[in-house]
Amino acid sequence: MRELLWTVFLGLMLVSLPASTDSHCTNKKCSVARNLQTCLCSESHYDVRRMHKSVWVSTTVWDLSLLSGNTRAKRKLSKYLNGHNSKALKISTQLPLVTQTYVPTDLREVTISYPLPKELWDNPPVPKDPKVVLDVIPETIMYVRPYPGGPQGFTADREANSFFKTLTDHGEPIISEDDYYYIFQYDSNNAKTEGTEIAIFAINTVLDEFYRGMSGYMRHLPLFLRDHELEWSTEGPSINVDLVRQDCGTTFCTDPKCPKYTAKKDAIGVETRTYGDIGRIVFKNAPTCQMERAHHLAQPEVYRALKDNGLTQGGDFSRLSPLGLWVTQKEPHQGGCSRTYASTFMVPLPREAQVPVDMVDSFGNFTAEVMC
């Protein structure tokens, strides 16, 4: 089960950084006030909004059609809300209903999500269906504009493509023009224009922390925020959610470069995965004893090696995907600093010989036990 894009973000592609232009976004209020959102600025083509940290329930399906995928996923979530959970609790439906979609292959990935009531954030009921999951969504900044239609695939795709182009033309940084987009519905039984919006991810607390302090940091921010101090909220309702998945699913990595494997799962949800020959990887040890800082410190060096050898294009560093973290225990039971953390990235095979030998290793033909 793929987590919501807002939380994620080892799954990001290289960020597209177009030339900067003057921001036309002003401090005037957004066209509408929305649940779990704060207006940062608004202009004629779109709003820039802050989405507050919150707890959501979601499920992902694959389908040829956005409409039928939406229907199938909503059916699963309705069961959870109607009591198919660890507390047999019926939960009131909160809005917006969010549809997240992307078409990486012949099938479309469709994720449907509802926010949970605030009073449940500290200890929400666990879904009984392993395909239904809970997510803590970090504080996130989104580009949003009204969308004249419901979750109809071709119309939604056309509107999303138009919105991506608008953002690019305005010089806003986006991940890519064929990435995920979101449909916000404020009346799940009504697809009127005033109740539906389309949204595109800008940045969240996780990605901001990753880029902050690096060269070109400001170019990863929406134009409006480049002239303002970006401050994230430090307070809010208590959130205590068990995010361990009963089922790892198969959609957490859909890039053609993702390593292929076979898996067997035991009764408690542990997968035993067998990988074939993954190939060559570029790696860089991170100068830190903190695992959560490893990618932040080592990825720029991996990126620099790739760029110096013509394996990637672009100017300032952009986060890479798909990534791995290679953890080596030097001495047993000696604490975190007895380990080394290396950020790894698979090298495109046709050009692997161009990478410096001291940053490359072979990897593959191994078995691993995995919990999600």
Side-chain angles (χ1 to χ4, degrees):
M1 181 72 60
R2 186 188 178 99
E3 292 184 350
L4 293 177
L5 185 63
W6 304 349
T7 66
V8 112
F9 286 108
L10 290 186
L12 288 176
M13 299 295 121
L14 295 181
V15 176
S16 172
L17 296 175
S20 177
T21 64
D22 292 334
S23 173
H24 301 289
C25 212
T26 68
N27 276 314
K28 71 179 182 180
K29 292 298 181 181
C30 300
S31 54
V32 287
R34 295 304 193 188
N35 184 35
L36 299 176
Q37 301 178 33
T38 299
C39 178
L40 296 180
C41 68
S42 181
E43 60 115 73
S44 58
H45 299 285
Y46 55 90
D47 299 337
V48 179
R49 298 188 197 163
R50 184 194 303 268
M51 310 287 294
H52 302 294
K53 185 177 181 180
S54 49
V55 179
W56 295 64
V57 61
S58 68
T59 192
T60 298
V61 300
W62 290 81
D63 205 297
L64 290 171
S65 162
L66 176 57
L67 183 59
S68 62
N70 187 290
T71 301
R72 289 171 53 212
K74 283 174 67 176
R75 202 173 292 135
K76 285 179 173 287
L77 293 187
S78 293
K79 290 182 179 179
Y80 169 80
L81 296 174
N82 285 320
H84 191 57
N85 55 61
S86 60
K87 299 180 181 181
L89 179 67
K90 289 191 176 182
I91 303 169
S92 61
T93 301
Q94 307 292 300
L95 297 176
L97 164 67
V98 175
T99 302
Q100 170 187 314
T101 188
Y102 175 54
V103 190
T105 63
D106 292 338
L107 290 176
R108 178 187 292 272
E109 180 183 337
V110 182
T111 298
I112 301 297
S113 310
Y114 283 108
L116 292 184
K118 288 184 179 180
E119 60 269 20
L120 296 179
W121 290 4
D122 191 44
N123 186 22
V126 177
K128 287 187 175 181
D129 183 345
K131 301 295 185 182
V132 176
V133 299
L134 300 174
D135 284 295
V136 177
I137 306 304
E139 196 168 347
T140 302
I141 294 174
M142 307 282 284
Y143 307 109
V144 185
R145 76 175 180 188
Y147 162 54
Q152 307 290 335
F154 295 110
T155 303
D157 289 343
R158 184 176 65 246
E159 289 292 326
N161 290 336
S162 174
F163 195 8
F164 277 119
K165 186 177 186 305
T166 296
L167 294 173
T168 301
D169 290 346
H170 278 72
E172 297 283 10
I174 58 174
I175 296 171
S176 71
E177 291 192 24
D178 60 353
D179 201 71
Y180 289 89
Y181 65 87
Y182 305 83
I183 300 171
F184 293 173
Q185 287 180 270
Y186 294 90
D187 182 347
S188 58
N189 296 314
N190 189 340
K192 292 182 179 179
T193 301
E194 63 269 19
T196 310
E197 296 172 327
I198 194 163
I200 292 171
F201 174 86
I203 196 167
N204 67 6
T205 53
V206 177
L207 206 57
D208 179 70
E209 181 182 4
F210 188 88
Y211 284 123
R212 191 177 288 267
M214 292 185 181
S215 174
Y217 161 71
M218 296 298 290
R219 296 188 66 198
H220 294 276
L221 298 179
L223 294 176
F224 173 76
L225 292 174
R226 297 178 192 179
D227 297 325
H228 299 76
E229 180 67 23
L230 177 56
E231 295 182 358
W232 301 101
S233 300
T234 58
E235 299 180 355
S238 174
I239 295 179
N240 177 27
V241 183
D242 182 0
L243 296 179
V244 174
R245 303 317 199 205
Q246 298 180 48
D247 188 341
C248 289
T250 59
T251 63
F252 58 88
C253 191
T254 57
D255 191 280
K257 294 179 291 184
C258 294
K260 303 297 186 291
Y261 63 89
T262 58
K264 293 182 180 180
K265 189 173 70 171
D266 64 19
I268 62 173
V270 177
E271 283 190 359
T272 300
R273 296 182 183 175
T274 301
Y275 289 84
D277 183 15
I278 293 177
R280 308 283 278 177
I281 60 171
V282 181
F283 69 93
K284 183 66 177 179
N285 289 340
T288 181
C289 295
Q290 299 177 313
M291 184 174 68
E292 61 272 17
R293 300 292 292 168
H295 283 308
H296 174 84
L297 295 172
Q299 263 199 60
E301 295 301 317
V302 173
Y303 180 80
R304 188 173 296 114
L306 295 173
K307 183 180 176 184
D308 289 347
N309 289 277
L311 294 174
T312 188
Q313 298 178 349
D316 298 319
F317 164 71
S318 294
R319 195 169 186 174
L320 301 167
S321 167
L323 288 172
L325 186 63
W326 189 348
V327 184
T328 304
Q329 180 76 48
K330 294 180 180 178
E331 301 175 9
H333 312 299
Q334 296 296 316
C337 286
S338 65
R339 302 184 182 98
T340 59
Y341 301 103
S343 189
T344 67
F345 183 71
M346 287 182 292
V347 183
L349 292 178
R351 309 182 72 177
E352 63 183 6
Q354 298 183 30
V355 180
V357 176
D358 61 349
M359 291 184 66
V360 179
D361 200 352
S362 297
F363 202 61
N365 299 310
F366 67 97
T367 298
E369 292 188 341
V370 179
M371 286 194 72
C372 297

